[in-house]
Amino acid sequence: MKSKIIYLLLASILILTSCGQKDDSETSNKTSNELEGEITFWHSFTQGPRKEYIEKKAKAFMKKHPKVNIKIETFAWPEFHTKWTTGVQAGQVPDISTAMPNDVSLMIDADVLSDVDSVVSDIGEDKFYRGPLKEGEKDGKHYSLPLYSHAQVMWYRKDLLNEVNEEVPETWGDFKRVTDKVSKKGTFGVSVPMGTGDMMASRFLNFYVRSHHEKLVKNGKADLTNEVAIDGINYWIDRYHKNSPKGSLNFKVLDQANLFYQGKTAFDFNSGFQISGVETNSRDLLNKISAAPIPKEKASDKDKGIETTNVPIVLWKQSKHKDISRAFLKELYSEDDYVDFLLSTPGGMLPVLKGISDKPKYQENPTIKRFKPEIDMIEKQISQGTAIGMEDGPNIEASILTTQNIIEEMFQEIVTTDISTEDAAKKAEEKLNRQFEIMNR
C-alpha cells in the first residue's frame, strides 16, 4: 500500500517519501469506563448553521464527558484530497473527519481507516438506507458512515423561461435552444466550469454521458473516446463559447454556484443546497427558482437519477482514542439532533436514516414545505443515482477520475489550444488508464 500512497501523492504533484501507519489497536489513556483524552475532528462545514451545529454537538459531548476535548479543524471541500494524502505521509491526520465520497475507496485501499462496524451496529444497520451505507464497505466491514445525501439536478429560473416563452428543458436539445435564447436576452444561459482543483467538468460530462446510457468508466477502464463521450465534450465546449462567462474556464464549485445565487445564470446543476445559497445571496429570487431532473437524450426516455452524493464521515486508523471517536460518531445520529443537523441546511442535506423525513419536526420546516416538490424529486434521484464512476459499485478508478483533474485539464486544453476534441480525449483517456493500472498493481 505504501507505493500506492506515494504514487497518489505524485499524481497530485506532491513529492513525499515516508509512510508509516500505526496499528488499529485501542490506545486510549483511560483506566476505567470513563472517556478521557483529546480527539481531532476535520470537517468541511466551513460556515453557517452546519458549522455552528457541529460546534454545539462537540460542546455538549465534552460537557457530558468532562475529561474529553474535541479539537475541530475546518477546511473547504476541494482541499480534502490534498490534505489527507499529505497528512498520511506526515502522520498528521485527525481521529475522525468528513470525506469526499470518491476518496473513500482510495482511503480504504491505502489502509488508513478503521472500521465503524460497532457504530453501525449500535445505531442499527437496518435503519440506514442501503445505498449510502454500501459505498464504504469492503470485505464485509463498514469503513465510513453516510452522514447525509443529495443528488445533482437541474436548477432554473422560472421568470427567465417565461421571458423567452419556453418550457423547462427535457432534453439536451431543448437545453441548447433555451440557453441560447436566454443568453441573447443578456443573462448567461449556463456557466460551464472547467477549473482544476475541483471535479466540475467531470460532473458536467458525466451528466451528458450517463443520460445517453454510457459511462466514463467501463470494466475498470476510462472511456472518453466513445461516440457519446466525444459528443458530450463537444456539447459543453459549445455551451462554453455560446452561453458561459469566459472566466468559467477556471471556475470551481463555489464560483459556479455563486453566479446562480446572484441571478447571473438561468440554469445550473446542483443539489438542494441551491435553496439556501439563493436565500442567503438573493432572497428576492427565491420565488423564481425551481428544479427538474437532468435533461435526457430523448423526451420519451424515463427520468432517472444520475449523480448521487452520500457524504461520509470516517474514523482514522492513527486515532489514539477510537473509543471517544466512536462514541462521538454515534452521538451525531441521535434522532432529534440528527433532524436539527439536516434542517441546518433544509433541502440541501437529505437523510440517510429511514423515517427521518416523515418526522413532524422535519416536515413542518418552512423551507421543506415551500420546496416540497423539488425536494421530493431530489429524493427520488438519490435512490436512482450513484457517485461518478461508481455505477457498478465503489472502486478506485472512480476516485482517480474525480480527484486528478485530468478531465478538467482536457477541457481547458481544447478551449485554449488547437488540439482536436478526439486527440484531447484520447490523451486524457490514456493518462487515466495509466493511473488506473498503477493503482491496481
Side-chain angles (χ1 to χ4, degrees):
M1 293 306 166
K2 183 176 183 179
S3 63
K4 290 186 177 182
I5 295 175
I6 293 175
Y7 169 74
L8 180 60
L9 292 163
L10 289 172
S12 302
I13 321 176
L14 297 167
I15 308 299
L16 297 166
T17 57
S18 63
C19 179
Q21 293 298 312
K22 298 180 181 179
D23 65 28
D24 197 19
S25 60
E26 297 286 350
T27 54
S28 176
N29 292 324
K30 67 183 179 62
T31 57
S32 66
N33 290 328
E34 185 177 11
L35 295 177
E36 180 178 352
E38 180 176 278
I39 65 170
T40 298
F41 180 18
W42 285 356
H43 72 75
S44 294
F45 309 135
T46 54
Q47 58 187 357
R50 296 196 296 173
K51 181 176 185 289
E52 294 165 5
Y53 175 84
I54 294 296
E55 291 170 349
K56 179 181 176 182
K57 286 294 290 184
K59 288 178 181 177
F61 189 85
M62 289 187 286
K63 185 176 181 180
K64 183 177 178 181
H65 303 284
K67 293 185 179 182
V68 168
N69 185 52
I70 300 177
K71 181 182 177 183
I72 296 176
E73 298 180 18
T74 60
F75 51 90
W77 287 108
E79 298 173 22
F80 180 75
H81 179 77
T82 299
K83 192 167 179 68
W84 84 260
T85 51
T86 56
V88 164
Q89 296 301 300
Q92 296 177 350
V93 294
D95 296 84
I96 56 177
S97 76
T98 54
M100 291 296 289
N102 278 4
D103 267 301
V104 173
S105 292
L106 286 173
M107 296 159 79
I108 294 172
D109 192 64
D111 195 27
V112 296
L113 300 181
S114 289
D115 73 77
V116 287
D117 284 347
S118 63
V119 183
V120 172
S121 179
D122 287 346
I123 296 170
E125 185 171 350
D126 60 340
K127 292 183 179 180
F128 286 92
Y129 289 113
R130 180 64 187 145
L133 194 60
K134 73 178 182 181
E135 288 188 6
E137 289 182 9
K138 185 176 182 180
D139 299 330
K141 288 186 173 292
H142 303 283
Y143 289 95
S144 69
L145 287 164
L147 193 56
Y148 63 88
S149 296
H150 58 76
Q152 297 290 310
V153 295
M154 181 181 69
W155 288 87
Y156 62 92
R157 286 274 301 279
K158 295 182 287 186
D159 57 320
L160 296 180
L161 290 188
N162 288 336
E163 285 183 16
V164 295
N165 298 311
E166 286 284 359
E167 300 293 327
V168 179
E170 290 189 68
T171 69
W172 290 111
D174 295 339
F175 187 83
K176 180 177 181 178
R177 183 187 69 254
V178 176
T179 52
D180 278 344
K181 290 177 74 172
V182 171
S183 293
K184 288 176 183 177
K185 287 279 190 176
T187 301
F188 293 116
V190 62
S191 172
V192 183
M194 303 177 187
T196 58
D198 216 327
M199 52 178 267
M200 295 300 288
S202 299
R203 169 171 286 163
F204 274 45
L205 181 58
N206 188 61
F207 293 152
Y208 189 95
V209 168
R210 293 294 298 127
S211 64
H212 286 74
H213 320 292
E214 270 288 359
K215 304 175 184 177
L216 295 176
V217 177
K218 292 191 291 187
N219 302 317
K221 298 286 187 180
D223 188 6
L224 304 182
T225 55
N226 66 68
E227 183 178 355
V228 167
I230 295 297
D231 285 348
I233 296 166
N234 284 328
Y235 184 92
W236 289 119
I237 293 294
D238 178 70
R239 294 300 86 199
Y240 170 79
H241 287 302
K242 294 180 180 177
N243 296 158
S244 180
K246 301 313 173 191
S248 70
L249 180 73
N250 294 304
F251 275 10
K252 298 181 183 179
V253 62
L254 288 180
D255 305 307
Q256 174 75 8
N258 280 332
L259 280 186
F260 189 81
Y261 298 164
Q262 296 163 6
K264 296 178 181 178
T265 48
F267 291 89
D268 193 20
F269 298 93
N270 209 320
S271 67
F273 279 97
Q274 293 292 71
I275 300 169
S276 61
V278 170
E279 183 175 26
T280 300
N281 289 271
S282 305
R283 192 177 182 85
D284 59 314
L285 294 178
L286 207 56
N287 288 327
K288 300 177 181 179
I289 65 168
S290 188
I294 302 292
K296 301 170 287 190
E297 178 183 11
K298 297 177 292 187
S300 58
D301 290 345
K302 291 183 178 180
D303 291 331
K304 65 177 182 180
I306 292 180
E307 184 188 339
T308 294
T309 301
N310 300 302
V311 175
I313 191 164
V314 297
L315 170 60
W316 289 82
K317 198 167 189 177
Q318 288 189 184
S319 172
K320 294 180 179 180
H321 301 290
K322 294 185 179 66
D323 51 351
I324 299 173
S325 299
R326 289 185 171 115
F328 182 65
L329 289 176
K330 182 180 175 183
E331 285 288 314
L332 294 177
Y333 294 85
S334 59
E335 188 172 285
D336 285 344
D337 287 348
Y338 184 58
V339 172
D340 287 340
F341 172 65
L342 297 176
L343 293 180
S344 65
T345 313
M349 300 188 296
L350 300 177
V352 296
L353 297 178
K354 299 172 184 175
I356 295 296
S357 58
D358 296 327
K359 301 294 180 185
K361 185 177 184 180
Y362 183 89
Q363 292 186 339
E364 291 167 6
N365 177 270
T367 300
I368 299 295
K369 282 184 174 181
R370 185 175 191 174
F371 286 91
K372 188 177 188 307
E374 291 85 357
I375 292 170
D376 287 348
M377 183 269 297
I378 294 171
E379 286 186 327
K380 185 176 181 181
Q381 306 302 299
I382 287 173
S383 67
Q384 297 171 344
T386 70
I388 297 174
M390 291 192 182
E391 296 83 14
D392 300 316
N395 60 79
I396 297 173
E397 291 80 11
S399 300
I400 295 171
L401 184 79
T402 54
T403 60
Q404 298 307 306
N405 292 145
I406 292 171
I407 290 176
E408 284 68 29
E409 291 169 355
M410 174 194 72
F411 272 100
Q412 289 186 344
E413 186 174 22
I414 295 170
V415 169
T416 60
T417 73
D418 293 328
I419 193 170
S420 70
T421 297
E422 290 77 10
D423 287 346
K426 182 178 179 181
K427 180 180 174 182
E429 180 180 280
E430 289 174 349
K431 189 172 182 180
L432 280 167
N433 284 327
R434 283 197 300 272
Q435 293 197 12
F436 292 175
E437 182 181 351
I438 291 171
M439 288 298 290
N440 282 305
R441 284 176 183 170

